[in-house]
Amino acid sequence: MASIGQIVSPTPGNDALSRARSRAALVPDCLVEAKRIANTVIAGWHGRRKRGIGENFWQFRPYSEGESLSRIDWRRSARDDHTYIRDHEWEAAHTIWLWADMSPSMMYKSTYGHVSKEGRALVLMLALAEILARSGERIGCPGIMEPVSARNAAERLAAALTHTPLEGGLPQTAMIRGWSDIVLIGDFLDDADSVMSRIGPLARRGLRGHVVEVADPAEEIFPYSGRTEFTDPENGSKLVAGRAENLREDYRRAYLARRENLGQSLRHLGWTFVSHRTDRLASEALVAVHMYLSGMPAKATLGGQP
């Protein structure tokens, strides 16, 4: 039987950035702006409709005795007999940490997928950096890049990745302080209990998390038949099945149960979960994660079960 999948080489950061921009462009600006406006009613996000320090104009209001004269808008006051203060909108840029798992299993690509899991994970991470930077959020990557609030956050992250590549597994998070969001992207093929033992402490520290499971279609549908040799990308061990099709139903049952258990465990912690296949458009996962980050409901599974 012909090979269905292969192990690919890691994707260069600059190449991933160019593809991330094309995927980010698929999310209409009106959608991004709509979700940004929705953030105004969510505590902790920038742009809450409240008077305070910020760059965006909010309103004119009458001057009250004792307020600083430097805040008077003399041009507006000259229009009538009243003195007006120019108020700005209160802003507090939120910090969002992005991480993509680069374990050996992420280098897999089958003939059913458009790209490798590793390539899709990088595209999703950089596209999120691009979209969120447009909304004025601070973007960081644990151990790779300190949070920055800049329009070119995606370029900065891609440049940082060329010097310090991402590692396998979950990131070190000791440097993350205060109320933040963290987006973890990977295949999460370990059993749910093992994954939750590492994620649980993050949730108890107050981090609001979002997990994106990236899956190759072949991992889910198990299209193998006949004599097939399987290789574990993590440790190189091999398994030879004489009639692989006989394993299909048991495998799919265990695979989907692992996903369901992981999703339920994450939601129990107050985290969100998105399942995404590499034969689907990256923009589907981007929309779902962006809606979660905006505090709006989204489907828990995209491109998951057929």
Side-chain angles (χ1 to χ4, degrees):
M1 180 179 178
S3 174
I4 288 178
Q6 61 179 329
I7 302 298
V8 302
S9 300
T11 302
N14 290 336
D15 181 47
L17 176 59
S18 64
R19 286 189 280 131
R21 281 193 176 281
S22 66
R23 297 304 190 277
L26 297 177
V27 183
D29 284 346
C30 61
L31 176 62
V32 176
E33 181 64 12
K35 302 303 178 292
R36 188 192 71 80
I37 294 174
N39 293 339
T40 61
V41 298
I42 301 175
W45 288 76
H46 78 286
R48 291 190 293 185
R49 300 300 288 177
K50 177 181 177 181
R51 185 168 71 248
I53 299 175
E55 296 181 357
N56 297 325
F57 169 73
W58 180 26
Q59 65 177 5
F60 289 115
R61 63 177 178 82
Y63 169 78
S64 297
E65 185 176 356
E67 293 189 278
S68 173
L69 297 179
S70 63
R71 298 182 57 199
I72 295 177
D73 190 292
W74 296 107
R75 180 175 299 180
R76 174 65 183 85
S77 301
R79 298 179 188 174
D80 51 40
D81 296 331
H82 299 283
T83 302
Y84 291 94
I85 294 290
R86 182 183 181 90
D87 274 339
H88 290 252
E89 185 179 341
W90 187 91
E91 295 180 358
H94 193 66
T95 299
I96 301 174
W97 297 86
L98 306 175
W99 178 263
D101 179 11
M102 292 293 107
S103 296
S105 63
M106 290 292 290
M107 305 301 165
Y108 180 74
K109 177 187 180 302
S110 76
T111 55
Y112 294 84
H114 299 322
V115 295
S116 68
K117 294 187 291 181
E118 175 260 5
R120 179 54 58 85
L122 280 176
V123 165
L124 290 174
M125 182 174 70
L126 293 171
L128 277 171
E130 175 76 11
I131 292 172
L132 294 168
R134 288 189 227 157
S135 300
E137 311 298 358
R138 288 194 300 268
I139 307 302
C141 183
I144 304 294
M145 185 179 79
E146 290 294 321
V148 297
S149 180
R151 297 281 292 187
N152 66 340
E155 287 94 336
R156 292 193 184 188
L157 180 54
L161 291 176
T162 62
H163 299 291
T164 309
L166 292 163
E167 298 178 350
L170 296 178
Q172 297 296 322
T173 59
M175 76 294 295
I176 300 179
R177 297 181 177 84
W179 194 84
S180 305
D181 278 60
I182 185 167
V183 179
L184 303 174
I185 307 171
D187 54 16
F188 302 98
L189 289 177
D190 293 332
D191 64 89
D193 290 341
S194 176
V195 174
M196 295 307 300
S197 68
R198 288 171 286 171
I199 288 180
L202 303 182
R204 288 191 289 272
R205 285 173 46 193
L207 288 178
R208 192 173 75 151
H210 313 272
V211 170
V212 182
E213 178 205 47
V214 178
D216 187 279
E219 294 176 326
E220 184 175 291
I221 64 178
F222 200 82
Y224 310 99
S225 62
R227 183 179 174 81
T228 306
E229 180 181 89
F230 300 95
T231 303
D232 188 327
E234 302 286 341
N235 57 31
S237 62
K238 298 180 184 297
L239 171 67
V240 178
R243 296 179 63 84
E245 64 272 22
N246 293 339
L247 304 175
R248 183 172 298 129
E249 291 306 314
D250 288 341
Y251 168 87
R252 280 175 50 81
R253 192 179 301 111
Y255 183 89
L256 296 177
R258 173 203 55 83
R259 173 183 292 163
E260 180 63 23
N261 290 338
L262 178 60
Q264 288 182 356
S265 298
L266 289 167
R267 287 187 284 272
H268 181 71
L269 290 178
W271 285 33
T272 67
F273 178 72
V274 172
S275 178
H276 173 71
R277 281 185 6 182
T278 57
D279 60 341
R280 308 287 296 186
L281 294 175
S283 58
E284 293 180 357
L286 288 176
V287 170
V289 176
H290 191 273
M291 291 179 71
Y292 279 139
L293 287 166
S294 301
M296 303 183 71
K299 291 184 178 180
T301 301
L302 293 174
Q305 299 184 29

